[in-house]
Amino acid sequence: MSARLHRFLRGLLTLAIALAGLVVLPTPSRAATPVCALACDTLDPSKAQRDTFPVPDVNLNGRILRLHMSDPDSMAWASIDNGVSGDAVWLDRSWDRGATWEGLLGKATIPGSWIGTRTLMYNLTDPVGHRRGWLRACADAAGVTCTDWVRPTVCDGTSCDGADPATAAGDDRPVPSTTLFGRTISLHVDQKNAMAWGVIENGGAGDEIWLDRSWDGGATWPESSSLGRTGVPSGRTTTRTAMFATRDPGGLMFGGAVRACGREATHQEGSCTAWARPAPTRARAAADALMASYHTYEGWWRSSWWNSAVALTSLIDFAERTGRQDDGWAWVIARTFEQNRGTFPAGARSSDPVEGHFISRAIDDAAWWGVAWLAAYDHTHDRRYLDEAVTITSYVHQYWDTGTCGGGVWWDRERTYKNAVTNGLYLWLTTSLHQRISGDTIWGDRAATAATWYLGSGLINGAGLVNDGLTGDCRNNSQTVWSYNQGLAIGAFTQLWRSTGNGQYLDTARRLADAAITSTALTRDGVLTESCDTGSGACDDNQKQFKGIFIRHLADLADATGSTTYRAYLKKQADSIWSTDRDPLNRLGQRWAGTTPNQVDWRTQASALGALTAADGL
C-alpha cells in the first residue's frame, strides 16, 4: 500500500470514528497567545509543585489519555500512555467556557520505541489579562478524543462557588436593584466573606435569575456569565442563585466584580444591576481593587517604578496593621522582590536604567524601595529584605555631601538638587536601620548627623511646613508644600524620638503635624488636599501617591503620642474617602473630598489604601 493511500484511508477512519460520536471537534477560533502568571506557558512538568488528576482518564483505543493539574502553580498538562510511535497528545484551552479554544497546545508525539509522552504545562488563569480558563487533554491515536474540560471552582479560603445563601454571614445590597416587567432583580453580598448571589422577586414561574462575574471591573465576563442561572418554580414568585466568590487567590485573581441579571419568562430581553465588588472591610476592599492592577509575572504595578515601591509598602502596611498575618500577601512581597532586584534597560521599569538592587540614577527612587523592603522585613522577618534595605541605603549615603550646604543628600547622581524628599527618606532609612540592626552605631550616628542638618537646613519654613527643596545658594526655595515631604519629616523625627528618647525630635514631629492639619496648604475642610487637587487641576502620576505617604507617617506619630487629634484626623480622611471618593467597584480617587475632576488609577488606589489602613488600625 502506498504511503499516500495509507494516509487517505487513515483520514477516512478518523473521520468515521468522529462522526460515530467519539468526539466532535469544531475548528478552534484562534491561535494561542502565551500566558504568563507566575510562570509562562510551556513550563516543564518536572517543575510542577503537585500532580493531581481533576477529570477521569479517557481510554482511546487502548491508550490512556490523562489531564494533570498542579493547583499551587495553577497550571495543567496532558499525557498519553500505552501508546505507539506517532500517537499525539495536546491541550485545548478556552477562555469562554468551551465555546472556542486555543487548540493543539504543547502537542507532543510519542517518539521511537517509547509508549508514552506528555505536553508542557499551560496556565489555567491569566491574571494579567483578567481571564480564567478551562483546559482539557486531547489525543490522536487511530482516532481523536478529549477529556472533559477542567474548570476549577473559585474558592476564597473556605468560601467557594455554589454555596447556599442561607450560610451567608450577612446580606447587603451594594447597588440599587433593577426592574423588568414588574420583577425586581437585586444583587446581594455577604460582605464578610466576599460572596455574592442574585434574587428575583415579584415574578412568576419560568422567570430566571443569574450572576455575571468579571475580573476586569465589568469590561468582560466570557467565562463567568450566567452563574447559578435558575428559574422561579411553579407556584412561586421569587428565587435566588447560589453564592459565588469574588476572589480567586489560587488563580491569583483579585477584585472580582459581580452583577445580578434576570429575565421574565415570556420575553427574551433581560436586565442587570450595576457591577459591584464586596467590601469585607474598607481597607480589604481597597487592597483587592489595588491587586487587580498588579502584574503577577513581572511583579510590579506597570508603568511607574518608585510608585510601585510605595504601592507595595501600602499593601504590606495593610497586611501588618490590620492583623492579616496569614501570609496571604507574602507571595506578592516575594514576587516583587525576586522579579525586580536584577538589571533592566531604560524604559523597562524606569525611564533610567535599573542597575540591580533597585538602584538607578534617581537617588530617591532607590530610597523608596529601601522603605518597602524594611516594611517587608518587619512583616515577614525574612533577613534578605533587611539586607536589601542596607544595600540601598548604603547607595543613598554615597550622595551625602558636606561640600554643598554643609550636608544633605543629592536628589540625583548628577548632583543638581538637594531636596526634601531625598533627605526625608535618608533620615527615615538611617534611623530605621539603626533600630533593626542589633548593636549598630554607624547608622545611628548618620541619622543623628542628618537630623541636625535637616533642622538647620531651612527646608522647614516659618509656618512649620516643608518646602520642596533648597536653592543653589542653600536657601529654602519656597516651592510647593507637598504632603509627602511633610509626612516623611514627621515619620523620620518620630522614629528618631523612638530611637533616642530625645524630646526635641518628638516636638519637631508634632510641630510639623500640627502645621499640616491646620494649614490650607495641605488641609481644606478637614480633608488632606494637595495643591493639584483644587479647582480644575490634575495631579501627575507622582503626586497621586503623596497623600498616602503623609498618612503613613502621621499614623506613626498618632501611635507614638496617643493623640486624639491626630486619630480624629486620620478617621476623617478614611470616612471622607469611603463616603465621597469611592465607586461601587471600590475604586478610590485622587480627591479625598470627592470633588471633580477626579482621577482614579492604581496610584490613587494605593494612596487611599494607606488612609483606610491607618483608620482601621485605630
Side-chain angles (χ1 to χ4, degrees), residues 111-124:
S113 59
W114 293 21
I115 62 169
T117 192
R118 65 189 182 187
T119 70
L120 298 174
M121 296 169 67
Y122 286 79
N123 281 288
L124 279 159

Side-chain angles (χ1 to χ4, degrees), residues 521-590:
L522 290 175
T523 300
R524 301 193 180 193
D525 296 323
V527 179
L528 187 61
T529 305
E530 301 287 359
S531 58
C532 55
D533 289 340
T534 60
S536 60
C539 299
D540 67 26
D541 284 347
N542 293 327
Q543 296 156 3
K544 289 173 182 176
Q545 283 189 280
F546 288 178
K547 291 187 291 192
I549 295 163
F550 172 86
I551 290 294
R552 181 177 201 251
H553 295 293
L554 182 64
D556 186 27
L557 179 60
D559 285 344
T561 62
S563 167
T564 56
T565 299
Y566 301 151
R567 288 177 173 173
Y569 186 87
L570 294 169
K571 184 177 184 300
K572 170 73 172 179
Q573 309 317 302
D575 290 347
S576 183
I577 290 167
W578 198 250
S579 63
T580 69
D581 191 31
R582 175 179 68 104
D583 70 8
L585 295 176
N586 301 323
R587 293 177 297 202
L588 309 172
Q590 167 65 27

Side-chain angles (χ1 to χ4, degrees), residues 387-402:
D387 292 342
E388 193 70 18
V390 170
T391 298
I392 292 169
T393 311
S394 297
Y395 167 73
V396 176
H397 177 70
Q398 294 176 31
Y399 293 89
W400 175 269
D401 181 7
T402 58

Side-chain angles (χ1 to χ4, degrees), residues 15 30 49 89 125 157 163 165 210 212 217 267 270 360 380-382 400 403 421 427 436 494 502 506 530 553 568 581:
L15 177 61
R30 56 184 180 272
Q49 299 179 61
V89 64
T125 65
W210 66 90
D212 290 337
H267 294 80
S360 65
T380 66
H381 309 297
D382 188 330
W400 175 269
V421 62
L427 184 54
R436 290 161 177 80
T494 300
N502 186 334
L506 189 61
E530 301 287 359
H553 295 293
D581 191 31

Side-chain angles (χ1 to χ4, degrees), residues 211-491:
L211 283 184
D212 290 337
R213 178 172 60 199
S214 172
W215 300 104
D216 57 7
T220 60
W221 57 98
E223 182 269 335
S224 292
S225 61
S226 299
L227 295 178
R229 191 179 191 116
T230 187
V232 176
S234 178
R236 298 274 302 278
T237 61
T238 184
T239 193
R240 65 189 182 190
T241 70
M243 292 197 297
F244 291 85
T246 59
R247 300 172 82 249
D248 180 16
L252 306 179
M253 307 281 279
F254 301 87
V258 287
R259 68 179 183 180
C261 300
R263 184 183 72 86
E264 191 268 337
T266 62
H267 294 80
Q268 290 302 311
E269 64 265 33
S271 184
C272 299
T273 68
W275 293 97
R277 286 175 173 142
T281 68
R282 299 189 303 188
R284 211 329 258 287
D288 284 345
L290 174 63
M291 279 303 299
S293 298
Y294 183 73
H295 196 293
T296 57
Y297 184 68
E298 294 177 359
W300 69 317
W301 286 266
R302 265 186 171 177
S303 80
S304 290
W305 180 236
W306 80 267
N307 303 73
S308 285
V310 177
L312 180 65
T313 304
S314 293
L315 192 69
I316 297 169
D317 285 348
F318 158 70
E320 181 71 18
R321 194 174 182 96
T322 58
R324 290 182 58 82
Q325 298 189 44
D326 57 0
D327 286 334
W329 303 106
W331 75 270
V332 183
I333 302 170
R335 186 70 179 176
T336 307
F337 183 81
E338 291 158 1
Q339 295 296 97
N340 292 284
R341 67 188 304 233
T343 61
F344 299 92
R349 289 292 188 272
S350 168
S351 57
D352 300 315
V354 177
E355 300 159 5
H357 295 287
F358 306 89
I359 287 168
S360 65
R361 59 168 287 279
I363 313 305
D364 60 331
D365 283 10
W368 288 117
W369 284 104
V371 173
W373 300 128
L374 282 177
Y377 173 70
D378 290 344
H379 184 61
T380 66
H381 309 297
D382 188 330
R383 179 75 191 199
R384 63 178 174 162
Y385 299 134
L386 177 60
D387 292 342
E388 193 70 18
V390 170
T391 298
I392 292 169
T393 311
S394 297
Y395 167 73
V396 176
H397 177 70
Q398 294 176 31
Y399 293 89
W400 175 269
D401 181 7
T402 58
T404 302
C405 303
V409 177
W410 291 103
W411 173 57
D412 56 7
R413 195 175 286 168
E414 293 75 20
R415 301 177 182 242
T416 62
Y417 186 32
K418 287 192 174 178
N419 62 354
V421 62
T422 313
N423 283 282
L425 283 162
Y426 178 73
L427 184 54
W428 189 90
L429 285 168
T430 51
T431 193
S432 296
L433 288 180
H434 173 66
Q435 292 168 336
R436 290 161 177 80
I437 299 174
S438 178
D440 169 74
T441 57
I442 294 174
W443 292 112
D445 289 345
R446 289 171 176 173
T449 300
T452 299
W453 178 85
Y454 195 106
L455 289 170
S457 67
L459 286 169
I460 304 172
N461 66 30
L465 298 171
V466 179
N467 292 101
D468 192 69
L470 301 177
T471 62
D473 58 355
C474 303
R475 292 179 291 109
N476 184 305
N477 63 13
S478 299
Q479 290 184 17
T480 305
V481 173
W482 297 110
S483 64
Y484 78 150
N485 286 329
Q486 198 81 9
L488 282 169
I490 291 168

Side-chain angles (χ1 to χ4, degrees), residues 10-33:
R10 182 174 178 178
L12 287 178
L13 177 61
T14 300
L15 177 61
I17 292 171
L19 292 175
L22 185 59
V23 67
V24 178
L25 295 175
T27 302
S29 66
R30 56 184 180 272
T33 300

